[in-house]
Amino acid sequence: MKWSNEYKIHYYYTDYNNILKPGYIGRYMQETAWYALKNWGPTPQFLAENNLAFILSKISFRYYSEIHEDDIIKAETWANPPKTVIFPRNYRIYNQSKNGEIAAEAVSAWALMDMKEKTILKPDMIEENFRNGFDGEELDFAVQRRFKSPENSVNSSTVEYKVAYSDIDTNLHMNNAAYIDLICDNLYYDGEKLSPDLKKRILSLDLNYNSQAVFGDIIEIYRTVALNGQTEEHYINAKIKSSGQNCFESKVVIKK
């Protein structure tokens, strides 16, 4: 079964071209999944009482059309049967203001963690709490495992980012959608002038979460860019400066 919610797009969620920011596409998907858990289970209350949490491991987005201010969207989500220790969850956004066309889709992989023991649990520990079971539909793309920058990269840069109060959620670490904001911030070069003529339409964004970032952490972000026909491929690798741990890695494809 699928859970869905409708939303009206606020202007302050859009960018300088009045296009809904990728980070807020992720937030609408995240909120819809939260409603699904609260209504269908396993509920956030059940997870908290049992010291459990779903931890996002990987997510891949595909963007098909732009969403603008005042558009009405329907976001839906559904879980697929677990594989080994992974809980797959899918998302789809329809633009109701454009005859219900599909504007974006995403696939994700989650792990169930015992927050006290910091161990990954098997799905059979919790499957019975999915009161409405799973949905069998699978999307035609999958989460990506690793990203390797090609040898024909034309540009590279390294920046640092300090995790701020606005990035943190109730788990006391950087929210999943905040990583998307950080990645998008790094798609713009030093000295670029923002204007309606500067459009960077993202076609896909693949993101692997490798270790959590907490308040005050400094993230070192290394980005390389490769040209591929009519697209730019941005490869981003980020590490926690204090520990050297790999924080996240991402590949973003942009239409030139």
Side-chain angles (χ1 to χ4, degrees):
M1 295 179 66
K2 296 181 175 68
W3 180 273
S4 65
N5 287 93
E6 284 198 352
Y7 307 93
K8 183 178 181 179
I9 304 304
H10 302 297
Y11 79 92
Y12 44 82
Y13 293 164
T14 64
D15 67 8
Y16 60 96
N17 276 308
N18 198 33
I19 299 168
L20 183 64
K21 296 174 183 177
Y24 283 95
I25 291 177
R27 286 175 174 88
Y28 282 123
M29 290 178 174
Q30 182 174 258
E31 182 171 352
T32 304
W34 191 250
Y35 279 118
L37 290 179
K38 290 177 75 172
N39 285 273
W40 284 352
T43 65
Q45 180 181 358
F46 170 86
L47 295 172
E49 289 174 349
N50 290 275
N51 299 303
L52 302 174
F54 282 111
I55 304 299
L56 181 57
S57 172
K58 307 175 192 302
I59 190 165
S60 294
F61 297 88
R62 299 296 179 266
Y63 307 100
Y64 308 125
S65 63
E66 296 170 348
I67 302 170
H68 298 91
E69 174 191 351
D70 290 334
D71 281 352
I72 304 297
I73 63 170
K74 182 177 79 169
E76 69 178 10
T77 184
W78 65 98
N80 290 133
K83 301 173 182 178
T84 59
V85 295
I86 296 300
F87 288 83
R89 177 169 288 278
N90 301 325
Y91 309 84
R92 182 180 288 129
I93 288 182
Y94 300 89
N95 194 331
Q96 306 294 69
S97 299
K98 295 182 180 178
N99 299 314
E101 71 178 20
I102 298 175
E105 292 179 318
V107 295
S108 62
W110 299 75
L112 180 65
M113 176 172 282
D114 183 318
M115 299 304 289
K116 275 191 173 181
E117 302 297 328
K118 301 298 182 183
T119 56
I120 301 298
L121 303 177
K122 294 182 178 180
D124 58 15
M125 296 289 294
I126 201 171
E127 275 186 275
E128 64 182 23
N129 293 281
F130 282 90
R131 291 193 294 272
N132 282 277
F134 302 99
D135 193 283
E137 182 184 357
E138 294 190 2
L139 300 181
D140 60 1
F141 61 97
V143 293
Q144 302 298 302
R145 295 188 178 277
R146 297 303 302 269
F147 311 109
K148 184 179 180 181
S149 178
E151 295 181 357
N152 64 337
S153 299
V154 297
N155 192 10
S156 64
S157 62
T158 303
V159 298
E160 291 186 352
Y161 179 78
K162 188 173 183 179
V163 179
Y165 157 82
S166 59
D167 299 319
I168 303 302
D169 61 19
T170 55
N171 291 319
L172 301 180
H173 57 64
M174 194 168 177
N175 183 263
N176 297 328
Y179 289 86
I180 304 173
D181 293 335
L182 181 55
I183 289 167
C184 291
D185 286 343
N186 280 273
L187 299 181
Y188 291 84
Y189 299 93
D190 289 340
E192 278 186 326
K193 183 180 179 181
L194 293 183
S195 75
D197 296 326
L198 180 60
K199 292 189 176 182
K200 296 199 172 188
R201 185 188 168 197
I202 300 178
L203 302 178
S204 66
L205 189 155
D206 298 283
L207 173 58
N208 292 350
Y209 301 86
N210 298 320
S211 60
Q212 68 179 16
V214 299
F215 178 75
D217 275 347
I218 296 176
I219 303 175
E220 295 179 319
I221 303 164
Y222 180 72
R223 175 175 61 90
T224 59
V225 183
L227 303 181
N228 186 9
Q230 296 301 310
T231 62
E232 293 178 357
E233 296 179 353
H234 294 245
Y235 295 83
I236 298 173
N237 187 282
K239 294 183 178 180
I240 305 294
K241 187 174 183 177
S242 60
S243 65
Q245 287 183 305
N246 188 291
C247 181
F248 70 88
E249 55 186 351
S250 179
K251 176 184 176 182
V252 186
V253 178
I254 295 176
K255 184 178 180 180
K256 293 192 293 184

